[in-house]
Amino acid sequence: MKKRLFIIDGHALCYRAYYAFMRNPLVNSKGQNTSAIYGFARMLFKLAEDQKPDCLAVAFDPPVKSFRFRLYEPYKATRQKTPEDLKSQINEIKRMVETMGLPVLENDEYEADDLLGSAAAKYSSLGFEVVLVTGDKDAFQLLKDGVSILAPKKGISEYEIMGPEEVSSKLGISPSQMVDYLALMGDSSDNIPGVPGIGEKSAQKLIAEFGSLDEIYRRIADVQPRQRKLLEEGRESAELSRNLATIRTEVSIDIDTSPFSLGGIMTTATRKFFEEHEMNALVKDYYDGGPISTPPKETVSKHKDYRIIRDINELTDMLKQINTAGTVSVDTETTSISPAAADLVGISFSIEDSQGWYIPMISSGLFGEGHMDPSESLAAVKPLLEDDAVRKVGQNIKYDIIVLARHGIRLAGVYFDTMVASYILDASERRHNLDDMAMQHLNYKTTTYKELTGTGKNALSISEVELEKLADYAIEDADIALRLYRIFEPRIKKEGLEDLFFNVEMKLVQVLADMEAAGVLIDTEHFAALSAENEKLLFDTQENIFKEADGRFNINSTKELSAVLFDRLGLKPVKKTKTGFSTDITVLEALRGHHAIVNHLISYRTLSKLGGTYIDALPKLINPLTGRIHTSYNQTVVATGRLSSSDPNLQNIPIRTEFGRKIRAGFVAQKGFLILAADYSQIELRLAAHLSGDENMIAAFIDGVDIHTKTAASVFGVGLDDVTSEMRRQAKIINFATIYGVSPFGLSQQAEIGVKEAAEFIRLYFETYPGFKNYMDRTIAFAKEHGYVETMLGRRRAIPEIDSSAQFRREGAERIAINTPIQGTSADMIKIAMIRIHESLISSSLRSRLIMQVHDELVLETAEDELENVKSLVTEEMRNAIELKVPIEVTCGFGKTWDEAH
């Protein structure tokens, strides 16, 4: 059976994918159109799944003009200019194809059609069944035995097979006559002139009657008079058109015809590519539980000495070996992913590769004769866990700290967290979980939690898993964490990241563990009243919507809302989806002011979100054991170094809205305590002044001049006393937009001004603060030279796209390079302050404690009699976290609620 070689016309499919999403383009968080990339990938995977080719290659048009432009200067002159956001995507698609390890065919002299034709000629003669994936009818001339076309039929996922018979049936001519057919009728898409006056039907009849172009001119006297005149006058044009339309088959082509498989192209580099472009659907569909299954080779030894501790002698021997080793990897197995609610199932330890112990800690279904009593084993292992002299290594060890603390053990000697280390070494990498890191760094496939417990109706609770299987799973986690530690620690030292890792991030682990364990208190009666108020507002808003719509309908139904807005009320649709006209929030914002119903709909959406996300959700998250809410602070998510929080996300509570304030008013202090909120003032602008060294910016902060007022005076050309509130508002936008490296277009969108006006504002800004423009240039140059930028503490962020040939990627990389040292240093500052405040509170035996961190703000629950002391301590530590050339201002407030503290 012949091997099937598929060759994709890359440019044709790029265009098809781009325009398939034209009405509803896919845009990532950076504002970049990724429709063509996503569509091309989907097409490629669909093709691979359905057709199962033996070999696959992709051909692209050259980035320069081919030989045909020298034959005929107006060649393709009628084509619309390629959209800029498609040009950049084509370059990205080539990069994507390369990450898959697929051959990329490209030649500066020839177009993709010529490469398809040459490959078809060569490889069909070598015994391959060649399938050309293209929708271009020009390629019909290539069809013959052993060569077929797979033409996209609809969208980007349906195809039809075309062979010689199908072409003959469709056009009434054979593939071998296709070039002469085009020579007569021309091709408007490529601006091939053909013979003026000879259309599609005339060309078809002439070819059918005479067989070829040469035969037509040989027997020109037999052609009816009107067409004869046109043909005689257009003979030169016909010859030129035939030359232009002829696909070359003599280009030197060499394709790697290695066996193709869908799993083979889904490389780690490809996954990272999709993650960079925020194409999580592709990752989910083709990696995480999808059809890709390519088990890695196991480089970790298959011989494992994993032991279950069953009696006191075994436990004593284990403790002796660990104390002698001095460093141990620790991992807990529990009943919940929430450490504040988790019961301890067992603890695993490892001090050597492929070796470890597991101590069962729960008796349900596990213990029989010969097993230690959990309370006895926990008491025996407690001194080791609390021994500061024995260094503890772990994966996400913050979780273990909280769980063990709930069981009466304060884990001491916490030295190394492999998850945090992975993040410090590469903050742009999104996967810092143990399973992925084992595969990436050890080429080892771990047993996953789902594989251990099962899924669906047959899923077991972890305490029901057979002890031997559970022990293997648990010890493997400790074993792999130990191996990763031995890889990461030397790298951290080699790259000069010791101070950042050990003195900031690792110290912060304990701070965050204590904050999460402390939790926050909310007033449930306040939230109940707020819920009732929100429901009343929702009802009133809903009635206003029905009044404006002149009828009742399901507001939450896109279909029904679309019918009301665009059919009944006649508003102009903004964008279309596969199922109809979109009614998402961006559409509503675009329609604001066009009808009274729109403002009511936006209010309805806002109130619904507040209710579902905070007002009704927060009381349900109260831990029944503590009566408080315990969020999780994430150290390894945000590339700049900032913390994020989840379950619940306390950092996204609206700040400036009335309802946002009411939600904050529900966060309260326990009896005898107050809420203390301490906030850095304009810290990123102060850091911009320090890092840039701009004299005017530094002078403004030193002199106590409001930086936004100063910028407004300079940009608008007025005195400080003449700056209006509107001028200051726009200057504030300019200040922050510029330190984020925004373009004139971006500023025009934010400030609601014209692009030319925005460009002039930026020019005047740089004229006012020339040092900041120099900082931008220096930072971009540094990123281009080193491939990364860094904060004042040496936190690095890779900028791989800084030299990208794609404009939108390069400009995005430049914005990241400019802002990361500012945002990253701000993140480092507040982390240092948190560590010092936490340590001071403990060393001073104060009852006050940190309970929240929200952007540039720290929130403490402070004993009333400690207020002045703590206020002074917090202000001092925040101001002195990092020394700057400008004064650091900290605003402190306090009250019975979080809102009062503001």
Side-chain angles (χ1 to χ4, degrees), residues 384-421:
L384 169 74
L385 294 171
E386 294 186 337
D387 186 352
D388 197 57
V390 178
R391 298 195 301 190
K392 313 304 187 307
V393 172
Q395 165 75 5
N396 189 18
I397 206 165
K398 170 165 65 76
Y399 179 93
D400 305 298
I401 292 171
I402 299 171
V403 168
L404 291 170
R406 289 189 58 249
H407 291 78
I409 296 172
R410 186 162 183 87
L411 188 65
V414 175
Y415 177 69
F416 202 96
D417 188 318
T418 50
M419 181 175 76
V420 175

Side-chain angles (χ1 to χ4, degrees), residues 606-868:
T606 302
L607 292 167
S608 297
K609 185 176 181 180
L610 283 172
T613 307
Y614 297 109
I615 299 170
D616 298 325
L618 287 174
K620 295 175 184 177
L621 294 173
I622 295 173
N623 186 314
L625 299 174
T626 65
R628 299 169 76 94
I629 291 175
H630 302 268
T631 189
S632 176
Y633 285 99
N634 309 307
Q635 244 174 306
T636 61
V637 172
V638 185
T640 58
R642 283 186 176 272
L643 296 171
S644 66
S645 75
S646 55
D647 302 320
N649 181 353
L650 299 180
Q651 299 191 332
N652 273 5
I653 296 174
I655 298 173
R656 295 176 180 85
T657 66
E658 181 185 355
F659 243 89
R661 288 190 60 205
K662 288 180 178 180
I663 291 170
R664 288 173 182 250
F667 286 74
V668 298
Q670 66 182 14
K671 188 176 181 180
F673 285 73
L674 295 168
I675 297 294
L676 174 67
D679 197 358
Y680 278 120
S681 173
Q682 299 177 337
I683 191 61
E684 290 189 7
L685 290 173
R686 294 173 192 272
L687 282 166
H690 174 87
L691 290 169
S692 69
D694 183 87
E695 294 179 0
N696 292 331
M697 206 178 280
I698 290 172
F701 283 117
I702 290 175
D703 296 340
V705 177
D706 177 68
I707 191 70
H708 301 316
T709 301
K710 178 175 175 58
T711 299
S714 297
V715 169
F716 291 102
V718 299
L720 289 173
D721 294 335
D722 297 322
V723 171
T724 65
S725 58
E726 176 59 20
M727 288 177 181
R728 186 184 182 279
R729 184 191 71 82
Q730 287 200 325
K732 184 176 181 179
I733 294 171
I734 296 168
N735 272 328
F736 285 107
T738 308
I739 68 170
Y740 289 135
V742 77
S743 65
F745 175 76
L747 178 58
S748 73
Q749 296 294 103
Q750 292 182 34
E752 298 178 347
I753 56 178
V755 176
K756 287 186 178 179
E757 189 179 3
E760 179 63 11
F761 278 173
I762 292 174
R763 187 190 69 78
L764 291 170
Y765 184 92
F766 290 145
E767 200 173 85
T768 305
Y769 306 118
F772 191 77
K773 180 65 169 68
N774 291 335
Y775 159 79
M776 292 172 67
D777 295 339
R778 289 196 314 270
T779 304
I780 291 171
F782 181 92
K784 287 183 176 180
E785 181 181 352
H786 297 90
Y788 66 85
V789 291
E790 58 186 4
T791 68
M792 288 174 64
L793 266 67
R795 182 187 301 278
R796 292 179 183 176
R797 182 177 184 180
I799 314 288
E801 307 298 338
I802 196 70
D803 284 319
S804 174
S805 58
Q807 183 180 353
F808 84 102
R809 293 193 62 81
R810 185 177 64 256
E811 290 177 350
E814 289 175 354
R815 286 192 292 271
I816 291 171
I818 293 164
N819 183 246
T820 292
I822 298 171
Q823 267 205 352
T825 301
S826 172
D828 293 341
M829 279 186 71
I830 203 160
K831 287 179 177 180
I832 291 170
M834 290 169 71
I835 294 165
R836 292 178 180 174
I837 291 167
H838 181 263
E839 290 175 347
S840 295
L841 292 173
I842 292 173
S843 64
S844 301
S845 300
L846 296 173
R847 292 172 292 151
S848 303
R849 55 190 176 177
L850 282 164
I851 57 170
M852 284 190 286
Q853 188 272 337
V854 182
H855 305 306
D856 298 326
E857 176 184 359
L858 295 180
V859 182
L860 294 88
E861 196 167 23
T862 306
E864 290 180 356
D865 59 349
E866 297 173 354
L867 178 62
E868 290 306 317

Side-chain angles (χ1 to χ4, degrees), residues 545-601:
I545 291 169
F546 294 152
K547 181 181 177 182
E548 295 294 340
D550 196 24
R552 306 182 79 83
F553 65 99
N554 182 355
I555 300 172
N556 297 316
S557 166
T558 300
K559 184 177 180 181
E560 291 187 36
L561 178 57
S562 177
V564 169
L565 293 177
F566 308 122
D567 297 335
R568 190 186 304 177
L569 300 180
L571 293 176
K572 187 177 179 180
V574 176
K575 61 182 179 181
K576 190 174 183 181
T577 67
K578 290 181 180 179
T579 56
F581 293 120
S582 172
T583 60
D584 66 22
I585 190 65
T586 59
V587 169
L588 294 180
E589 289 290 353
L591 292 173
R592 192 191 285 271
H594 292 272
H595 195 284
I597 196 173
V598 177
N599 283 342
H600 295 312
L601 284 168

Side-chain angles (χ1 to χ4, degrees), residues 27 32 42 65 134 174 186 458 593 617 686 804 856 877 885:
V27 180
Q32 299 160 346
R42 280 285 184 197
K65 292 182 177 181
T134 178
S174 68
N458 298 321
R686 294 173 192 272
S804 174
D856 298 326
E877 296 296 4
K885 297 171 186 174

